[in-house]
């Protein structure tokens, strides 16, 4: 499916097209930044509390769930070259209304997550600068974060991609140090598998881990600015997920084997690193959290800001979101709007409400995107796939069922809230549709 021409959207004079400045390994770095946020620095203790040493199996099970979904994403993404990711896939397979809802919910989830991560960033910054947790400084630092990220993104996708490359390496480095050193200090007696956890806690553990593993959906949104995306996007999805799976499982191995009070730790990686890296360990891991959070926000803004841009191309949100900067060739209105919404939520505290919606909305996004695989395979005239998933139909069905299972373990209140957000989306969608219908009559 080709988006409508930018010439059909009211824009400032001189507006051009998006620039394909994101290379193959830039995409891998972007995916890593999308997946690895601040969650992995706290989840090891929570998952251990739920499942004990069987948390290793919970990590492996969640990795398997994500692998099924990632393979589906690899095939579906290899069909498209335009911006939009899950929004584009759903629109092509199920029509404009379903596509809009997927894009709408994913956009809200994205800037809600960015708001949450920015507060995590400031909280950990307090380790080095305690005064930052005072209200005035907190707002100032969060504002500086989003102004900086928005500026870098507006100045060009190449700059944003290079920043993502740097932050990806910088966030992985302390994790590798933690693993490489911690493996020499493991106590084998810490791994006890005598009492298997009940199915309920084990399922909840996988459900919570899903949000630390997810992120490939966000990385696929910027397809319109990637080089040879039909080949490079599937490569980036599978490569980044493979790297993250290895890191996450080894991190849990080290946490279990080195930290006796893992179940009660609030900062498991920092607490464990103190035991085998000394006082400097907590500083190294805390710096890692800061870099990881910054990288996640940078990737979130790069991908998230393209959602309103893609929807504007199809006249499903106000056309201003489709404007491209005439000099830098970036969707500057979408970037500013996404950063501004995240800043507002982060500073007012209402980001917690949107963050609750973000969890389940990711599952909905994954389920719908994976469901597009069999539809696109059978639809005449659908864009051809460069990559074809083995047993793709079966994997698609498994991905949808696994998503439904995880949604069921997320709780009814959160699902209800997503329905409320979707209802608001209906109002916006049909308002724009009505305006489009009235426009010819007024000309």
């Amino acid at each position: 499916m080709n988006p409508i021409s930018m010439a059909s959207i009211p824009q400032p004079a001189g507006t051009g097209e998006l620039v394909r400045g994101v290379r193959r390994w830039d995409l891998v770095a972007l995916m890593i930044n999308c997946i690895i946020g601040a969650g992995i620095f706290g989840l090891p203790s929570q998952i251990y509390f739920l499942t004990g040493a069987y948390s290793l199996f919970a990590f492996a099970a969640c990795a398997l769930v994500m692998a099924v979904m990632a393979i589906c994403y690899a095939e579906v993404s290899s069909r498209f070259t335009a911006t939009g990711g899950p929004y584009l896939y759903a629109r092509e397979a199920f029509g404009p209304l379903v596509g809009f809802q997927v894009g709408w919910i994913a956009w809200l989830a994205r800037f809600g997550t960015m708001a949450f991560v920015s507060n995590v960033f400031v909280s950990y910054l307090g380790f080095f600068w305690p005064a930052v947790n005072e209200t005035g400084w907190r707002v100032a630092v969060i504002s500086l974060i989003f102004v900086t990220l928005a500026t870098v993104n507006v100045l060009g996708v190449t700059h944003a991609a290079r920043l993502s490359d740097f932050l990806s390496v910088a966030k992985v480095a302390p994790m590798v140090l933690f693993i490489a050193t911690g493996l020499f200090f493991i106590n084998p007696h810490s791994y006890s598998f005598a009492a298997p956890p009940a199915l309920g806690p084990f399922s909840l553990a996988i459900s919570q881990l899903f949000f630390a593993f997810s992120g490939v959906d966000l990385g696929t949104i910027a397809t319109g600015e990637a080089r040879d995306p039909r080949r490079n996007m599937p490569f980036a999805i599978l490569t980044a997920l493979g790297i993250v799976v290895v890191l996450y499982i080894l991190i849990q191995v080290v946490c279990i084997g080195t930290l006796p009070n893992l179940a009660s730790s609030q900062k498991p990686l920092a607490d464990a690193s103190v035991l085998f890296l000394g006082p400097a360990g907590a500083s190294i891991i805390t710096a890692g959290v800061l870099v990881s959070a910054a990288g996640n926000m940078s990737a979130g803004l790069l991908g998230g800001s393209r959602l309103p841009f893609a929807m504007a191309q199809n006249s499903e949100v106000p056309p201003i979101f489709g404007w491209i900067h005439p000099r830098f060739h970036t969707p500057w209105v979408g970037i500013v709007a996404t950063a501004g919404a995240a800043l507002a939520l982060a500073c007012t505290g209402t980001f917690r409400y949107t963050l609750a919606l973000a969890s389940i909305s990711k599952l909905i996004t994954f389920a719908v995107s994976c469901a597009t695989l069999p539809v696109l395979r059978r639809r005449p005239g659908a864009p051809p796939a460069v990559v074809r998933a083995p047993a793709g139909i079966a994997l698609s069905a498994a991905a949808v069922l696994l998503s439904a299972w995880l949604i069921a373990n997320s709780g009814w209140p959160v699902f209800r809230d997503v329905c409320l957000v979707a209802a608001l989306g209906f109002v916006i969608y049909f308002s724009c549709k009505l305006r489009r219908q009235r426009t010819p009559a007024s000309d």
Side-chain angles (χ1 to χ4, degrees):
M1 181 187 72
N2 294 319
I4 63 174
S5 170
M6 292 302 299
S8 63
I9 301 174
Q11 301 174 74
T15 296
E17 300 291 340
L18 296 177
V19 174
R20 292 193 179 275
V22 183
R23 302 163 300 181
R24 168 172 282 201
W25 286 100
D26 294 334
L27 279 175
V28 174
L30 175 63
M31 290 288 180
I32 290 175
N33 273 325
C34 289
I35 298 171
I36 302 178
I40 189 57
F41 292 92
L43 275 174
S45 56
Q46 173 63 15
I47 304 306
Y48 185 82
F49 173 78
L50 291 170
T51 59
Y54 281 87
S55 58
L56 292 174
F57 296 101
F59 270 83
C62 190
L64 181 60
V65 172
M66 281 305 308
V68 170
M69 296 181 177
I71 292 172
C72 294
Y73 260 87
E75 175 175 325
V76 175
S77 67
S78 75
R79 296 177 181 272
F80 296 92
T81 60
T83 298
Y87 159 74
L88 188 61
Y89 311 155
R91 195 176 197 278
E92 176 69 29
F94 303 117
L97 182 57
V98 175
F100 171 82
Q101 282 293 355
V102 169
W104 169 248
I105 292 173
W107 185 43
L108 291 179
R110 186 46 45 200
F111 65 70
T113 302
M114 290 168 58
F116 170 74
V117 174
S118 70
N119 276 274
V120 171
F121 180 96
V122 174
S123 296
Y124 273 88
L125 183 60
F127 178 87
F128 301 108
W129 179 22
V132 77
N133 287 303
E134 298 175 4
T135 301
W137 282 115
R138 174 177 286 270
V139 172
V141 170
I142 290 175
S143 299
L144 179 62
I145 290 171
F146 285 114
V147 169
T148 301
L149 292 178
T151 300
V152 171
N153 273 268
V154 169
L155 289 177
V157 70
T158 302
H159 298 294
R162 300 299 177 271
L163 176 62
S164 177
D165 294 346
F166 169 76
L167 293 174
S168 178
V169 173
K171 74 161 60 176
V172 169
M175 294 182 182
V176 172
L177 174 64
F178 176 83
I179 293 168
T181 308
L183 288 174
F184 291 98
F185 293 86
I186 285 177
N187 177 9
H189 300 291
S190 299
Y191 304 94
S192 174
F193 301 96
L199 180 61
F202 191 79
S203 299
L204 179 60
I206 297 175
S207 179
Q208 291 182 353
L209 279 173
F210 176 83
F211 308 111
F213 277 95
S214 62
V216 297
D217 57 319
L218 174 64
T220 61
I221 296 171
T223 300
E225 290 155 284
R227 298 178 184 175
D228 194 10
R230 297 177 65 197
R231 297 184 184 277
N232 290 340
M233 192 64 73
F235 174 85
I237 290 171
L238 299 177
T239 302
L241 183 61
I243 292 171
V244 170
V245 166
V246 172
L247 286 174
Y248 280 9
I249 292 178
L250 289 177
I251 284 172
Q252 189 68 5
V253 168
V254 172
C255 285
I256 295 174
T258 61
L259 189 59
N261 62 334
L262 175 58
S264 60
S265 173
Q266 297 297 314
K267 303 184 296 296
L269 273 70
D271 292 342
S273 63
V274 169
L275 301 178
F276 54 81
L277 287 173
S283 297
I284 294 173
I285 296 302
T286 300
V289 175
L290 297 177
V291 174
S292 182
N296 189 257
M297 286 185 288
S298 176
L301 184 57
L302 174 60
S305 60
R306 272 60 179 176
L307 281 167
F309 168 78
M311 290 188 285
Q313 285 187 300
N314 292 301
S315 302
E316 294 167 352
V317 296
I320 189 174
F321 289 101
W323 289 2
I324 299 176
H325 196 283
R327 177 180 177 185
F328 304 118
H329 304 282
T330 51
W332 66 275
V333 176
I335 293 170
V336 172
T338 304
L343 173 61
L345 288 174
C347 292
T348 61
T350 55
F351 73 94
R352 295 185 183 278
Y353 175 78
T354 306
L355 184 63
L357 304 179
S359 298
I360 197 170
S361 69
K362 287 184 178 182
L363 284 167
I364 295 173
T365 300
F366 271 84
V368 176
S369 297
C370 291
T372 65
L373 186 150
V375 176
L376 294 174
R377 276 192 180 185
R378 296 172 179 173
R379 173 167 294 174
V386 173
V387 174
R388 192 170 179 89
I393 302 297
L395 289 177
S396 173
V400 173
L401 291 174
L402 288 168
S403 298
W405 170 54
L406 292 174
I407 289 172
N409 282 280
S410 298
W412 161 249
V414 181
F415 184 75
R416 177 203 60 207
D417 293 343
V418 172
C419 291
L420 294 174
V421 173
L424 177 59
F426 277 119
V427 174
I428 295 174
Y429 177 84
F430 286 109
S431 295
C432 289
K433 183 177 181 179
L434 182 62
R435 184 168 58 248
R436 291 197 307 270
Q437 292 173 344
R438 289 178 174 176
T439 299
S442 62
D443 290 340

